[in-house]
């Protein structure tokens, strides 16, 4: 049953139908709130000529206009049409990612003969995990801009070693939509033989094309505005760094939960929160630099044997990608629930490739996804009201994210969990020592159980169109950073 491709695709469609139903019909104001912003921004562009980036600063990179405008293809600006079209778009992209996961061993085989493996049967483990993760994460796995980016990252990670330039292009395009995937280029750079030609140059070409297009359309002054939109933010209530204050706030009035109205985001304020937000702003970049240094060390430590071992190459890419994603979440003063979706691509690809030592990570990430859905959308009102139970779930989830970061870094510091080929000049069989453990035996579980940016500018007097975000109930808003 679990090996049946028909069962995989039926489950995939059922999960996406459920996510769309929750967001479009059941609780649209909670689950798909951000789509109201997307639709309104695009309406202003189409009808009033006020395009994000081209007409002013924006919280997102300019590439985010693409999927937002694509969802408006029906031309229907009222009712559920925009949300339905968005759901179809995300489902199509996820379907492409699922197809890649089902054929990952062939697509991920390193170019040339050195990294080839004689026989790698297809597995459905990564596909089932991906489907289960989406179900556990809930409607934010569909109703956010991150839902467009995640499948692009799945494809990019799967093809990195065989087609590094394609991977670089995909990650750069994704970064021009939602920034975060750009960090994963660090993992790609250290894992390929010719990083300047195969990674840096394609990324630069994509960026030059994007920036050139914005300049030609008159938006040059705002093309990098998204980089400055985060500076004035406080400590978001869901952020890992906000956990101590969120817990104290359950029992004390010294910590206040408040809405940052210009960016429609709930934050915490109290003794030390401003300093914590500033510290995280610096730690974010220090953390990414430390992750990059660890990946570089890992690659150097393996030496020339790295290029002869497909498993070691794949492990560095996906484990490195997971490390970088975790760093961008843990060391971030912004903690939007949709960020958890960034964890899925590395894990799904690792399971699809049958890499050793991923079982515990896969189940932990699945648990983080489930806890995130409990917090948002279902328990968010209780978080804002200081409810103890849901706040405890949020705190436990944040602790799990820190644990994942530490264990992922430790996995990269340890010897490989499989036998490496002998280095040049070594006697046959003199590979590196191994530390295979119980979790390395299977590589992953068979089947897991399972308002954003700045406030939109008001429409000109007399204009018609969808209701503005100002008219929606702010107490139900999530942020769409």
């Amino acid at each position: 049953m679990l090996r049946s491709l028909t069962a995989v695709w039926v489950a995939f469609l059922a999960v996406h139908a459920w996510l769309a139903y929750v967001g479009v019909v059941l609780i649209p104001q909670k689950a798909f709130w951000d789509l109201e912003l997307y639709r309104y921004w695009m309406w202003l562009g189409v009808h009033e000529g006020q395009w994000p980036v081209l007409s002013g600063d924006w919280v997102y990179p300019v590439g985010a206009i693409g999927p937002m405008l694509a969802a408006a293809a029906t031309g229907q600006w009222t009712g559920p049409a925009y949300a339905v079209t968005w759901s179809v778009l995300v489902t199509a992209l996820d379907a492409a990612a699922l197809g890649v996961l089902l054929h990952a061993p062939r697509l991920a085989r390193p170019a040339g003969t050195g990294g080839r493996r004689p026989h790698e049967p297809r597995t459905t483990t990564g596909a089932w995990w991906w489907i289960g993760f989406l179900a556990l994460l809930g409607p934010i796995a569909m109703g956010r801009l991150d839902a467009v980016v995640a499948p692009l990252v799945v494809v990019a990670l799967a093809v990195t070693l065989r087609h590094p330039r394609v991977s670089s292009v995909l990650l750069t395009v994704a970064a021009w939509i939602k920034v975060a995937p750009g960090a994963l280029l660090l993992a790609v750079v250290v894992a390929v033989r010719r990083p300047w030609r195969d990674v840096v140059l394609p990324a630069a070409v994509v960026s030059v094309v994007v920036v050139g297009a914005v300049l030609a359309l008159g938006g040059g002054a705002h093309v990098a505005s998204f980089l400055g939109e985060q500076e004035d933010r406080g400590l978001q209530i869901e952020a890992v760094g906000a956990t101590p204050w969120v817990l104290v706030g359950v029992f004390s009035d010294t910590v206040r939960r408040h809405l940052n109205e210009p960016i429609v985001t709930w934050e915490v304020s109290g003794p030390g929160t401003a300093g914590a937000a500033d510290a995280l702003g610096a730690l974010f970049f220090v953390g990414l630099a430390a992750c990059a240094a660890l990946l570089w060390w890992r690659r150097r430590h393996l030496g020339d044997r790295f290029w002869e071992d497909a498993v070691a190459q794949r492990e560095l890419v996906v484990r490195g990608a997971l490390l970088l994603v975790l760093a961008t979440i843990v060391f971030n003063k912004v903690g939007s629930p949709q960020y958890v979706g960034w964890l899925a691509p590395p894990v799904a690809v690792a399971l699809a490739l049958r890499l050793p030592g991923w079982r515990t990570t896969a189940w932990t990430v699945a648990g983080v996804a489930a806890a995130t859905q409990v917090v948002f959308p279902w328990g968010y009102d209780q978080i804002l009201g200081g409810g103890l139970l849901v706040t405890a779930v949020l705190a436990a989830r944040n602790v799990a994210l820190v644990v994942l970061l530490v264990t992922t870094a430790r996995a990269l510091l340890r010897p490989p969990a499989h036998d490496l080929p002998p280095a040049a000049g070594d006697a046959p069989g003199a590979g590196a020592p191994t530390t295979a453990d119980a979790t390395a035996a299977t590589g992953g579980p068979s089947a897991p159980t399972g308002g954003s940016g700045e406030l939109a500018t008001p429409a000109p007097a007399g204009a018609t169109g969808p209701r503005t975000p100002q008219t929606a109930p702010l107490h139900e808003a999530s942020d769409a950073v």
Side-chain angles (χ1 to χ4, degrees), residues 356-408:
W358 279 82
R359 168 175 285 189
T360 300
T361 298
W363 284 108
T364 305
V365 171
V368 166
T372 300
Q373 183 174 183
V374 170
V375 171
F376 185 89
W378 305 109
Y380 205 64
D381 289 340
Q382 295 183 48
I383 292 288
L384 300 181
L388 177 59
L389 181 59
V390 181
T391 300
V393 172
L394 173 61
R397 185 209 69 168
N398 289 346
V399 169
L401 287 169
V402 175
V403 171
L404 275 169
L405 176 62
V406 173
T407 56
T408 301

Side-chain angles (χ1 to χ4, degrees), residues 249-263:
V250 174
F251 307 101
S252 172
D253 293 335
T254 59
V255 175
R256 185 171 65 91
R257 302 166 185 80
H258 64 93
L259 180 68
N260 187 334
E261 293 193 24
I263 54 175

Side-chain angles (χ1 to χ4, degrees), residues 9 41 58-59 83 87 104 144 163 191-192 238 244 246 253 396 405 424 443 449 453:
W9 285 104
W41 284 327
W58 202 28
V59 71
S87 300
R144 295 291 188 276
H163 304 288
V192 302
E238 304 103 311
V246 172
D253 293 335
L405 176 62
T449 56

Side-chain angles (χ1 to χ4, degrees), residues 230-236 239 241-242 245 267-285 331-334:
Q230 310 297 328
E231 293 181 0
D232 297 329
R233 300 182 68 128
L235 199 56
Q236 187 170 331
W245 288 275
E267 299 175 350
V268 292
S269 60
T273 55
D278 292 340
L280 286 171
L283 282 173
F284 181 84
F285 296 102
F331 300 120
N332 203 330
K333 63 182 177 180
V334 182

Side-chain angles (χ1 to χ4, degrees), residues 149 182 186:
V149 170
L186 295 172

